[in-house]
Amino acid sequence: MPLDFKHTKLPNGLNILAEVNDDAHTAAVGFFVRTGARDEAPAVMGVSHFLEHMMFKGTDRRSADDVNREFDEIGANYNAFTSHEQTVYYAHVLPEMLPNAVDLFADMLRPSLRQDDFDMEKKVILEEIGMYDDRPEWRLHDRLLEEHFGNHGLGYRVLGTAQTVGDLTSTQMRDYFTQRYSPDNLVVAAAGRLDFDALCADVEARCGHWSPTDATRSYATPPTTDKRIAIDDDKVTRQYIAMLCEGPSAQDELRYPAKVLADVLGDSDGSRLYWALVDKGLSDDADFSMLPHDRCGQFMAFASCDPKRAEQVEATLLQTLDAIVGPGFDISDDEVTRAKNKLATKATLQGERPAGRMQALGSHWSYQGRYLPLNEELDRLMAVTVDDVRSVVERYTLSPRTIATLGPGK
Amino acid sequence: MPLDFKHTKLPNGLNILAEVNDDAHTAAVGFFVRTGARDEAPAVMGVSHFLEHMMFKGTDRRSADDVNREFDEIGANYNAFTSHEQTVYYAHVLPEMLPNAVDLFADMLRPSLRQDDFDMEKKVILEEIGMYDDRPEWRLHDRLLEEHFGNHGLGYRVLGTAQTVGDLTSTQMRDYFTQRYSPDNLVVAAAGRLDFDALCADVEARCGHWSPTDATRSYATPPTTDKRIAIDDDKVTRQYIAMLCEGPSAQDELRYPAKVLADVLGDSDGSRLYWALVDKGLSDDADFSMLPHDRCGQFMAFASCDPKRAEQVEATLLQTLDAIVGPGFDISDDEVTRAKNKLATKATLQGERPAGRMQALGSHWSYQGRYLPLNEELDRLMAVTVDDVRSVVERYTLSPRTIATLGPGK
């Protein structure tokens, strides 16, 4: 597979990147905006996600129907998502349709934000928030973040609350938009069969006149203390247990061994938690994962079970983690090798498609400001040793931790 | 992409297929067993899915730990699933690991079914069944199938019930296994960079001595009548509405236009239901899809919303469907073209990876008994006209229908 990395930066600060693969059957493009719930003022919590919805509601050149119809006409598989740190708009298309997708996104990202559409879309968001009521894991996840992060933006709800979304005005949204959707806070990433010069010409023609705003982000350190919260709710029939503690950031050199550690402890295909909880019939689900963020990071553990086993499952979960901290560290060469093999196959599988490479490219640039070829990623992963994994445990100690539980109570 | 289709059939009836792609970076293999909930006696409901779990519990040559460890050692991304009609075991690996994956699966599919493992795994399955209690959509889905299909096997729960799984004996499981996991009821499908002759030699060495059983399947016609069931449950906070009616089977020539119809009516990226319900802020989710089965098929519609809008949403959902039946049929050329473009891109994206081609290959052979190249699939899709879509509506009329709702009640 002949891969060719290309990069250019427009005078207004907009980065355009592509990994060109002439053998690919499709092309993928994403507009990665470095903004999310973390970057919101508390009073406008949810504005990033709401704004993502509004981007599909039309521009000076296009109605909402036009946007949707044109994506469908070119057969695009397109979508968008908002997290605490990113808002990403992306499409997978047949190669000849790439310029149309770029034209659509570039236009969409300068939306009309019409008051009627704003009022209507608010109802859509409130419906989406309502849907959370019947999803115990999501509710617990939100509460865990709130408890753990306190006033730090990583504790905000991506969807906002019925209160903050209900109170939001279109003026507040427009202000946020103007500040955050600036070319210097945005990366365009593409992959697959494509003409990079033509892509750059298209992006420059449409986005070259956008004004930079020097958009920044607060890097306050999140609090870390031991905390425990138990929520009783008789509408819930299962017991849910979640834990959050400090881990490596997206920039931390320890993130490769940390990924291996997370796989050894919590991969759903077989891991220490899997064997201790799921395989024994104690939990229906148990996992441990790494949540790397911009200049800070976390580890998260989760399990759900029959409420009558709540104490046993929580104790087993925590013992499994505590067992490797300090002199008890016993992660073996074999475990590390197996985890690396699994992760290498996953990365290779993701890298087989332009869709996967585009996401890796855009996300990596947003966090690291550089290109990471798949081969380098694999090399760094395969170089991880047991000592590296031990260093992660020594550095982070999986504590202090916030534990949150949700269940029917006694 | 130079694709080469290969097929051979062993004397005991086992079909081996592969789509060889020398440019691929991975290889994928799946063992497709033509058995599922549909093929169970009511008293052993859930045995197919339970058996799928037991396959990972070891053989004469390997313990459960060996199976798991060896998959990890080769870095396989592997899994299995059970539906009403299939039980599939599959792995995605780096090409040099394919023979190891084949050796593992071929051995696993002659499991020891040890009583201790059976007793332990029963607890795991009961946990999995328990997890459904907090998933209103899944509960409603199960009830909808039960109501619609009555005593027909497509109405059985894939997981079984706490009662049927609790009562199941290992002897019953062994009998089911012996009858259903026969070489003439099984297809091995592979895709990606691989040596077909070596694959056949490996499969023959391990599975060539398995005995055929002439396993069959009942093709009783499912009942179709108008039915309505409303479940009130004050543990649920949202209203869920689901509908099932007759549609084309996996063998029906109308399945391509039916797929287009389903996209026009119910695609989540923009469709008639999306615009009528989600875009208006009435529902958080609304869709319409085709469920093609072996020699029979269904269409399914679904929406969820705030309970105070239950009646409005259900009425809008049904009106959107009814509007196209009979003289009101007004699906346009444009809508059909857009749906075809979307579906073509999806199929091309899926076909980009060996993992996707292996699934298509195995599933298509299980249902059609023949090879369908991606190009032919795309040609058949792109040939669909408005008249073809009208024929689907005329043939199936989207009625009689079973409607099931789940909500907190008044």
Side-chain angles (χ1 to χ4, degrees):
Chain A
M1 187 159 54
L3 290 182
D4 198 5
F5 177 69
K6 306 271 195 175
H7 168 238
T8 196
K9 190 174 179 173
L10 300 185
N12 64 3
L14 179 65
N15 282 289
I16 309 173
L17 352 158
E19 195 175 71
V20 181
N21 175 359
D22 291 333
D23 288 345
H25 289 238
T26 61
V29 63
F31 283 64
F32 292 72
V33 191
R34 271 175 55 86
T35 204
R38 175 179 185 163
D39 304 299
E40 298 168 352
V44 298
M45 195 192 294
V47 66
S48 310
H49 170 259
F50 192 163
L51 190 51
E52 173 217 310
H53 278 233
M54 288 301 294
M55 292 293 161
F56 292 89
K57 294 298 154 201
T59 68
D60 294 346
R61 285 167 52 202
R62 288 177 169 98
S63 68
D65 283 353
D66 289 338
V67 170
N68 183 269
R69 202 195 59 246
E70 291 186 41
F71 270 122
D72 286 354
E73 279 169 1
I74 64 171
N77 277 223
Y78 68 104
N79 214 334
F81 66 83
T82 306
S83 71
H84 279 93
E85 303 189 322
Q86 291 193 96
T87 311
V88 181
Y89 304 82
Y90 63 93
H92 315 137
V93 291
L94 300 180
E96 58 273 24
M97 299 303 183
L98 189 68
N100 305 57
V102 169
D103 177 55
L104 265 158
F105 281 133
D107 188 34
M108 273 170 60
L109 294 192
R110 286 300 174 266
S112 297
L113 302 179
R114 285 176 277 257
Q115 187 67 40
D116 282 359
D117 294 330
F118 178 87
D119 295 338
M120 176 62 94
E121 201 60 21
K122 192 178 269 194
K123 292 188 208 163
V124 174
I125 310 282
L126 292 170
E127 274 296 297
E128 212 179 319
I129 292 172
M131 187 174 63
Y132 265 55
D133 292 342
D134 273 343
R135 308 279 174 121
E137 312 96 301
W138 298 2
R139 284 170 52 200
L140 180 64
H141 181 258
D142 274 357
R143 277 301 297 275
L144 177 70
L145 297 187
E146 275 172 13
E147 289 298 324
H148 183 80
F149 288 107
N151 293 325
H152 190 284
L154 285 171
Y156 295 171
R157 298 186 184 196
V158 172
L159 262 58
T161 66
Q163 181 76 47
T164 59
V165 170
D167 290 350
L168 193 76
T169 68
S170 59
T171 307
Q172 288 172 311
M173 177 179 279
R174 190 174 292 279
D175 290 346
Y176 179 86
F177 165 76
T178 306
Q179 182 58 29
R180 304 298 303 174
Y181 275 65
S182 57
D184 51 336
N185 204 35
L186 211 154
V187 174
V188 178
R193 200 163 89 220
L194 62 93
D195 176 340
F196 185 69
D197 293 337
L199 171 69
C200 291
D202 286 348
V203 174
E204 180 149 31
R206 286 160 185 79
C207 315
H209 63 283
W210 296 359
S211 302
T213 63
D214 291 323
T216 53
R217 162 171 287 168
S218 158
Y219 289 108
T221 308
T224 52
T225 50
D226 276 313
K227 247 189 193 182
R228 198 175 190 294
I229 171 178
I231 312 161
D232 288 348
D233 180 346
D234 60 15
K235 290 201 166 191
V236 171
T237 60
R238 307 283 290 173
Q239 178 78 11
Y240 301 87
I241 304 149
M243 187 283 295
L244 204 63
C245 64
E246 199 190 354
S249 74
Q251 291 88 10
D252 191 326
E253 285 308 307
L254 285 175
R255 68 190 184 279
Y256 293 96
K259 227 176 178 175
V260 171
L261 173 68
D263 191 281
V264 168
L265 287 177
D267 181 52
S268 61
D269 273 359
S271 60
R272 291 193 173 198
L273 285 178
Y274 176 86
W275 294 109
L277 290 170
V278 180
D279 183 64
K280 298 282 183 297
L282 299 174
S283 299
D284 58 80
D285 193 5
D287 65 61
F288 183 85
S289 53
M290 180 176 67
L291 305 181
H293 285 115
D294 195 4
R295 303 200 204 170
C296 70
Q298 292 75 41
F299 287 113
M300 181 181 278
F302 175 81
S304 55
C305 62
D306 189 314
K308 68 176 186 272
R309 282 191 285 275
E311 285 176 26
Q312 184 189 3
V313 167
E314 183 175 327
T316 306
L317 174 76
L318 298 179
Q319 278 158 18
T320 305
L321 306 185
D322 289 336
I324 59 157
V325 180
F329 180 90
D330 62 348
I331 290 179
S332 68
D333 249 333
D334 272 2
E335 281 177 292
V336 168
T337 302
R338 293 202 298 269
K340 291 196 299 187
N341 288 344
K342 281 196 271 183
L343 294 168
T345 306
K346 263 180 207 160
T348 306
L349 283 165
Q350 199 212 0
E352 272 188 313
R353 279 162 53 156
R357 286 307 297 160
M358 174 273 289
Q359 291 289 354
L361 211 63
S363 209
H364 202 80
W365 194 278
S366 294
Y367 284 99
Q368 323 273 346
R370 74 176 197 91
Y371 171 57
L372 183 76
L374 180 59
N375 285 345
E376 186 184 327
E377 193 182 336
L378 291 174
D379 289 347
R380 296 184 71 164
L381 176 68
M382 294 315 283
V384 170
T385 65
V386 170
D387 282 343
D388 297 333
V389 176
R390 186 188 285 111
S391 301
V392 174
V393 180
E394 284 171 355
R395 163 69 186 80
Y396 291 104
T397 69
L398 308 183
S399 62
R401 56 181 64 144
T402 304
I403 296 171
T405 64
L406 169 61
K410 310 267 163 162
Chain B
M1 186 158 56
L3 290 183
D4 198 4
F5 176 69
K6 306 270 196 176
H7 167 238
T8 196
K9 189 173 180 175
L10 300 185
N12 64 4
L14 180 65
N15 282 288
I16 310 172
L17 352 158
E19 196 175 69
V20 181
N21 175 358
D22 291 333
D23 288 345
H25 289 238
T26 62
V29 64
F31 282 63
F32 293 71
V33 192
R34 271 175 56 86
T35 204
R38 175 179 185 165
D39 305 299
E40 299 168 351
V44 298
M45 195 193 293
V47 66
S48 311
H49 170 259
F50 192 164
L51 191 51
E52 173 217 310
H53 278 234
M54 289 301 294
M55 293 292 160
F56 292 90
K57 295 298 154 199
T59 67
D60 294 345
R61 286 167 53 201
R62 288 177 171 99
S63 68
D65 283 354
D66 289 337
V67 170
N68 183 270
R69 200 194 61 246
E70 291 184 40
F71 271 121
D72 286 355
E73 279 169 1
I74 63 172
N77 277 224
Y78 68 104
N79 214 334
F81 66 84
T82 306
S83 71
H84 279 94
E85 304 189 321
Q86 290 194 93
T87 311
V88 181
Y89 303 83
Y90 63 92
H92 314 137
V93 290
L94 300 180
E96 58 274 25
M97 299 303 181
L98 188 68
N100 306 57
V102 170
D103 176 54
L104 266 159
F105 281 132
D107 188 33
M108 274 170 59
L109 294 192
R110 286 299 173 266
S112 297
L113 303 179
R114 285 176 277 258
Q115 187 66 41
D116 282 0
D117 294 330
F118 178 87
D119 295 339
M120 176 63 94
E121 201 60 23
K122 192 178 268 194
K123 292 188 208 161
V124 173
I125 309 282
L126 292 170
E127 274 296 298
E128 212 179 314
I129 292 172
M131 187 174 65
Y132 265 55
D133 291 342
D134 273 344
R135 307 280 173 118
E137 313 94 303
W138 299 2
R139 283 170 54 200
L140 180 63
H141 181 259
D142 274 358
R143 277 301 297 275
L144 177 69
L145 297 187
E146 276 172 10
E147 288 298 325
H148 183 79
F149 287 108
N151 293 326
H152 190 283
L154 285 171
Y156 296 170
R157 297 185 184 197
V158 171
L159 263 60
T161 66
Q163 181 77 46
T164 59
V165 170
D167 290 348
L168 192 75
T169 67
S170 59
T171 307
Q172 288 173 312
M173 176 179 281
R174 190 173 293 278
D175 289 345
Y176 179 85
F177 165 75
T178 305
Q179 181 59 28
R180 305 297 304 174
Y181 276 63
S182 57
D184 50 335
N185 203 35
L186 213 154
V187 173
V188 177
R193 201 164 89 219
L194 63 94
D195 176 339
F196 185 69
D197 293 337
L199 171 69
C200 291
D202 286 348
V203 174
E204 181 150 30
R206 286 159 185 78
C207 316
H209 64 284
W210 295 358
S211 303
T213 63
D214 291 321
T216 53
R217 161 171 287 168
S218 158
Y219 288 109
T221 308
T224 51
T225 50
D226 276 314
K227 248 188 191 180
R228 200 176 187 296
I229 170 177
I231 312 162
D232 288 350
D233 179 348
D234 61 13
K235 289 198 167 192
V236 170
T237 60
R238 306 283 290 174
Q239 179 77 13
Y240 302 87
I241 303 149
M243 186 284 294
L244 204 63
C245 64
E246 199 190 354
S249 74
Q251 291 87 10
D252 192 326
E253 284 308 307
L254 285 174
R255 68 190 185 278
Y256 292 95
K259 229 175 176 175
V260 171
L261 173 68
D263 191 281
V264 168
L265 287 177
D267 182 52
S268 62
D269 272 0
S271 60
R272 290 193 173 197
L273 285 178
Y274 176 86
W275 295 109
L277 291 170
V278 180
D279 184 65
K280 298 283 183 296
L282 299 174
S283 299
D284 58 79
D285 193 5
D287 65 60
F288 184 85
S289 54
M290 181 176 68
L291 305 181
H293 285 114
D294 195 3
R295 303 202 203 167
C296 70
Q298 292 76 40
F299 287 113
M300 182 182 276
F302 176 81
S304 55
C305 63
D306 190 313
K308 68 175 186 270
R309 282 190 285 276
E311 285 177 25
Q312 185 190 2
V313 167
E314 183 175 326
T316 307
L317 175 76
L318 298 179
Q319 278 157 20
T320 305
L321 306 186
D322 289 336
I324 58 156
V325 181
F329 181 90
D330 63 347
I331 290 178
S332 68
D333 250 333
D334 272 2
E335 281 177 290
V336 168
T337 302
R338 294 202 297 271
K340 291 195 297 187
N341 288 344
K342 281 197 271 182
L343 293 168
T345 305
K346 265 181 206 159
T348 306
L349 283 165
Q350 200 214 358
E352 272 188 314
R353 279 162 53 157
R357 286 306 297 160
M358 175 273 289
Q359 291 289 355
L361 211 62
S363 210
H364 202 78
W365 194 279
S366 295
Y367 284 99
Q368 323 272 346
R370 73 175 198 91
Y371 171 56
L372 183 76
L374 179 58
N375 286 345
E376 186 184 326
E377 193 181 336
L378 291 173
D379 288 347
R380 295 185 70 164
L381 177 68
M382 296 315 282
V384 170
T385 64
V386 170
D387 282 343
D388 297 333
V389 176
R390 186 186 287 112
S391 302
V392 174
V393 179
E394 284 171 356
R395 162 70 185 79
Y396 291 105
T397 68
L398 308 183
S399 62
R401 55 181 64 145
T402 304
I403 297 170
T405 64
L406 169 62
K410 310 269 162 158

